[in-house]
Amino acid sequence: MNVKRGSTTFLKVIIILAGIAVLALCIRLPEIAVRDARVHPDTAYFLIPFLICAYGFCIAFSIALYQGYKLLTYIEKNNAFSELSLKSLKVIKKCVFTVIFLILLGIVSLMVLAKTTGDDAAGPISLSLMSILAASIIAAIVEVLQKPLKNIVELN
């Protein structure tokens, strides 16, 4: 097994483990939301927007993971500089922007919830902002990879 194949296999295993974690979150999410609604019945109306944002996040993240897996497969097959790789990068970038939008939507709903309950939402909002920063870094990396790849594909 050469080094390139070993590193792509390692990254594929990491992607699969992240996908399993997202699947576990999707399975447990309704239970967590219902338990929170029972504890705080006065804010139970935030359950539906929360679940919509959470499942939208999980779907977009899962699509990005799948496209990353496909990209690693193209790299293993020495097909990294192809139109298929470029399409995968475009889909990953769209998913990252969707994730950022859904996190921003979650921040807005947290702020509204904090205003209605009088709670302090600084902790979850700061974690959300750090998630946006991480997603923005990923979008920038994808953009940097996409530009030379687009030039190479156009030359061929």
Side-chain angles (χ1 to χ4, degrees):
M1 179 185 272
N2 60 15
V3 175
K4 184 169 76 168
R5 184 158 174 88
S7 59
T8 55
T9 303
F10 174 74
L11 289 173
K12 282 183 175 183
V13 169
I14 297 298
I15 287 174
I16 290 170
L17 291 175
I20 291 170
V22 169
L23 180 64
L25 176 68
C26 288
I27 291 170
R28 296 256 326 178
L29 205 54
E31 177 186 327
I32 294 168
V34 168
R35 189 176 341 132
D36 186 59
R38 286 186 184 139
V39 173
H40 306 289
D42 53 329
T43 60
Y45 56 90
F46 275 104
L47 182 68
I48 300 299
F50 168 74
L51 286 175
I52 290 171
C53 284
Y55 277 114
F57 175 87
C58 289
I59 290 168
F61 191 74
S62 297
I63 291 170
L65 286 176
Y66 174 68
Q67 292 299 322
Y69 190 88
K70 282 177 47 175
L71 188 60
L72 289 172
T73 303
Y74 299 146
I75 291 170
E76 278 183 345
K77 294 179 179 179
N78 290 328
N79 202 11
F81 301 109
S82 66
E83 187 70 34
L84 296 172
S85 297
L86 191 60
K87 284 181 183 180
S88 289
L89 286 173
K90 286 179 183 179
V91 171
I92 290 171
K93 193 165 68 169
K94 287 178 184 178
C95 289
V96 168
F97 287 131
T98 303
V99 164
I100 290 172
F101 174 73
L102 290 170
I103 292 172
L104 285 173
L105 210 59
I107 289 173
V108 169
S109 65
L110 271 173
M111 291 173 71
V112 170
L113 181 64
K115 287 283 186 190
T116 58
T117 61
D119 289 339
D120 184 23
I125 289 175
S126 65
L127 288 173
S128 300
L129 291 174
M130 284 187 264
S131 299
I132 289 175
L133 177 65
S136 300
I137 291 169
I138 291 170
I141 290 170
V142 167
E143 182 65 28
V144 166
L145 291 173
Q146 198 174 7
K147 282 185 181 181
L149 186 61
K150 188 182 291 185
N151 292 337
I152 290 171
V153 169
E154 287 174 359
L155 289 176
N156 293 336

